[in-house]
Amino acid sequence: MKIAISGKGGVGKTLLASLLAKTFAESGYSVLAIDADPDSNLAATLGFPDSDKITPISEMKELVEERTGARPGRAESFFKLNPKVDDLPEKYSLKHNGIRLMAMGRVKKGGTGCYCPENALLQALVTHLLLARDEVVILDMEAGIEHLGRATAKAVDKLIVVVEPGRRSVETAYKIDKLAKDIGLHNLAIVGNKLRNPLEREFLISNLPGFEFLGFIPYDQALVDADLANLPLLNSSQQIINEVKNIYQALLPIAQTPNPRN
Amino acid sequence: MKIAISGKGGVGKTLLASLLAKTFAESGYSVLAIDADPDSNLAATLGFPDSDKITPISEMKELVEERTGARPGRAESFFKLNPKVDDLPEKYSLKHNGIRLMAMGRVKKGGTGCYCPENALLQALVTHLLLARDEVVILDMEAGIEHLGRATAKAVDKLIVVVEPGRRSVETAYKIDKLAKDIGLHNLAIVGNKLRNPLEREFLISNLPGFEFLGFIPYDQALVDADLANLPLLNSSQQIINEVKNIYQALLPIAQTPNPRN
């Protein structure tokens, strides 16, 4: 099963990715979590020790050069568009509590250089992880689907868009839906997050007509307090855990369908 | 005066950018607001009519090709790293309530193409806007400083990092501070947002020692309610407006210093 998670910044993509990874792992699935959002820290939320010391793939300059033939940061280089990546998951992933993690990193765009070699490597790696691996793969993305393309769209069993009660995150959901349809990805579903009252739930349902809703996660001050006190987030709110378990249950029928690509 | 605004996704960068733009404009300054965050909509927050119909620069394929010599989406093209951009602000900006707006747009990274021509154009354009224009320029960025470089660092009078009470947005502030110092940008200051109680303010101050704080914006349910009801955001909370006026006052001494580049 391959699950991609997107949505506006700050809506809670990483929390949902982490709790889903944990739930699948505790149920006996082999789980690969991919951090493809440079504005978050999936490793920290999953409780990986020394999560701030993990070097993401995009910053491994020697590796990028070895595989693509081009040194990152040099403008107008020629490089391989299909670098070898199948050995990278074993070499450059970490494991903790039964969850394997890979950090993709930020693709730098600044300066005068043209930083495409990292892009080529990350693109090839994500394609490999989605097409060739048979774990439960959970991809925590930015507010877009930049890591996906026509080649990987069919492999994504569910693209979950997280929204919160607010017009901007709903607008982002529509943008993501359009980008997804452009590449032939139609398995999109919504998860509402940070809900404070039934009116906010109603707001999401009425502003996203025709969308499948996988679940609604409540706002819980206990999570904020745990964060400020630097306590582990994943165990801080039983009501959030319960709701993510419902979302997991809703996803299970997909997981149990024989994989048409095998 | 050139102000760049960054911070983790969802912390409220666009709201602060909009309210600052409005405050400067109402005080008689000529204001240029730049939307450089594809995960937001500065035009909508500023109340521009038909804000969803604005075509951002990165999607103007003919323009990108005309100026860089390369068609977007074609891999491994050669293109000009310093395209002509000085006429673009007049041609491709919109004006509303005394605020001029330019939307940069998303630089697509997906697919097999190498999308650098848009990057080259956006980079040259932002550099021009920061170095050669004499308005108050307010740059609403992503969670990073990808649009800035060594050449523009000296032109930024203040890089404002917005944080909310939460560990992740503080971590992002440290990352941005490091990226800023790497390019020689030291004029960084913090604005706390969505504060619910004095403990949360204390959390930010104690977790960001040594940083300058420009102000603390309270959480106001009136803003959320206005958003859900699709009412204009900028007038929805007097206490938020007042606090942004204080931030404006704190910025004014910079504005009144004769510009050393003129």
Side-chain angles (χ1 to χ4, degrees):
Chain A
M1 168 130 82
K2 311 295 191 297
I3 302 165
I5 301 180
S6 186
K8 187 179 182 314
V11 292
K13 296 184 288 286
T14 300
L15 184 74
L16 179 63
S18 302
L19 282 171
L20 276 179
K22 186 166 177 277
T23 309
F24 273 104
E26 286 172 356
S27 308
Y29 287 88
S30 183
V31 177
L32 171 64
I34 308 174
D35 185 352
D37 181 1
D39 180 26
S40 77
N41 193 333
L42 187 57
T45 307
L46 281 169
F48 276 68
D50 295 321
S51 60
D52 53 332
K53 295 200 185 77
I54 296 173
T55 305
I57 300 289
S58 72
E59 288 178 22
M60 297 181 180
K61 290 200 163 72
E62 305 295 329
L63 177 71
V64 173
E65 185 170 16
E66 177 198 311
R67 297 305 169 91
T68 66
R71 186 84 183 165
R74 223 170 273 167
E76 294 176 58
S77 307
F78 286 89
F79 53 88
K80 287 178 207 163
L81 285 174
N82 289 306
K84 174 181 163 66
V85 291
D86 59 339
D87 57 328
L88 299 185
E90 268 62 41
K91 281 187 187 155
Y92 297 107
S93 65
L94 295 168
K95 215 166 175 182
H96 178 69
N97 287 345
I99 297 168
R100 190 183 282 279
L101 176 103
M102 291 200 81
M104 296 286 118
R106 185 181 293 275
V107 173
K108 297 181 190 69
K109 289 179 288 193
T112 53
C114 164
Y115 291 78
C116 293
E118 298 99 317
N119 278 347
L121 187 66
L122 294 191
Q123 189 78 25
L125 181 55
V126 171
T127 301
H128 169 76
L129 294 172
L130 290 173
L131 293 181
R133 305 280 302 189
D134 58 7
E135 296 111 322
V136 171
V137 175
I138 297 177
L139 178 62
D140 181 19
M141 297 192 294
E142 294 179 83
I145 53 166
E146 286 171 342
H147 289 86
L148 303 178
R150 293 207 163 266
T152 46
K154 282 198 187 64
V156 174
D157 297 293
K158 198 64 91 175
L159 169 59
I160 299 177
V161 180
V162 184
V163 296
E164 63 184 6
R167 213 158 279 278
R168 308 293 164 237
S169 79
V170 169
E171 284 167 9
T172 299
Y174 277 100
K175 282 185 204 167
I176 292 167
D177 184 51
K178 185 178 179 311
L179 292 168
K181 285 187 175 132
D182 284 350
I183 59 165
L185 203 171
H186 298 277
N187 305 326
L188 186 146
I190 305 285
V191 166
N193 191 23
K194 303 191 202 173
L195 290 152
R196 289 160 195 278
N197 56 57
L199 278 180
E200 296 189 335
R201 179 187 171 124
E202 196 43 55
F203 169 83
L204 292 179
I205 291 172
S206 65
N207 279 277
L208 288 158
F211 284 87
E212 176 192 0
F213 278 84
L214 276 178
F216 295 91
I217 300 171
Y219 176 87
D220 189 345
Q221 185 69 30
L223 184 83
V224 179
D225 293 344
D227 183 36
L228 299 192
N230 206 12
L231 295 170
L233 295 186
L234 295 193
N235 299 314
S236 64
S237 165
Q238 194 57 47
Q239 51 175 332
I240 291 179
I241 290 171
N242 291 345
E243 184 52 34
V244 173
K245 280 193 181 149
N246 291 340
I247 294 169
Y248 159 80
Q249 291 289 344
L251 289 167
L252 266 195
I254 311 173
Q256 284 160 351
T257 307
N259 192 325
R261 292 175 304 280
N262 291 338
Chain B
M1 166 129 85
K2 310 297 193 294
I3 301 166
I5 302 181
S6 185
K8 186 178 183 314
V11 293
K13 297 184 287 287
T14 299
L15 183 75
L16 179 62
S18 302
L19 282 171
L20 275 179
K22 185 166 178 277
T23 310
F24 274 104
E26 286 171 357
S27 307
Y29 288 88
S30 182
V31 176
L32 171 65
I34 309 173
D35 185 351
D37 180 1
D39 180 25
S40 77
N41 193 334
L42 185 56
T45 307
L46 280 169
F48 275 68
D50 295 321
S51 60
D52 53 332
K53 296 200 184 77
I54 296 173
T55 304
I57 299 289
S58 71
E59 289 176 24
M60 296 180 180
K61 289 201 165 72
E62 305 295 328
L63 177 71
V64 172
E65 184 170 17
E66 176 198 311
R67 297 304 169 93
T68 67
R71 186 85 184 164
R74 222 169 275 168
E76 295 174 60
S77 307
F78 286 88
F79 53 89
K80 287 180 207 161
L81 286 175
N82 291 305
K84 174 180 164 66
V85 291
D86 58 338
D87 57 328
L88 300 185
E90 268 63 41
K91 282 187 188 157
Y92 297 108
S93 65
L94 296 168
K95 214 165 176 183
H96 177 69
N97 285 346
I99 297 168
R100 189 184 283 277
L101 177 101
M102 290 200 80
M104 297 285 119
R106 184 180 294 275
V107 174
K108 298 183 189 70
K109 290 179 287 191
T112 52
C114 165
Y115 290 78
C116 292
E118 297 97 317
N119 278 347
L121 187 65
L122 294 192
Q123 189 78 24
L125 181 55
V126 171
T127 302
H128 169 76
L129 294 171
L130 290 172
L131 293 181
R133 305 281 300 190
D134 60 6
E135 297 111 323
V136 170
V137 175
I138 297 177
L139 178 64
D140 181 19
M141 296 192 294
E142 293 180 85
I145 53 167
E146 286 171 343
H147 289 86
L148 304 177
R150 293 207 162 266
T152 46
K154 282 197 187 65
V156 174
D157 296 293
K158 198 64 92 176
L159 169 60
I160 299 178
V161 180
V162 184
V163 296
E164 64 185 5
R167 213 156 279 278
R168 308 292 163 239
S169 80
V170 170
E171 284 167 9
T172 299
Y174 278 100
K175 282 185 205 166
I176 292 167
D177 184 50
K178 186 180 179 306
L179 291 167
K181 284 187 175 134
D182 285 351
I183 60 166
L185 203 171
H186 298 277
N187 304 327
L188 185 146
I190 305 284
V191 166
N193 190 22
K194 302 191 203 174
L195 291 152
R196 288 162 197 277
N197 56 57
L199 279 179
E200 296 189 335
R201 180 188 172 122
E202 195 44 54
F203 168 84
L204 292 179
I205 292 171
S206 64
N207 279 277
L208 289 159
F211 283 87
E212 176 193 359
F213 279 83
L214 275 179
F216 296 91
I217 300 171
Y219 176 88
D220 189 346
Q221 185 68 31
L223 184 82
V224 179
D225 293 343
D227 184 35
L228 299 192
N230 206 12
L231 296 170
L233 294 186
L234 295 192
N235 299 316
S236 64
S237 165
Q238 195 56 46
Q239 51 174 332
I240 291 179
I241 291 171
N242 291 344
E243 185 52 34
V244 172
K245 280 193 180 148
N246 291 339
I247 294 168
Y248 159 79
Q249 291 289 345
L251 289 167
L252 265 196
I254 310 173
Q256 285 160 350
T257 306
N259 191 327
R261 290 175 304 279
N262 290 342

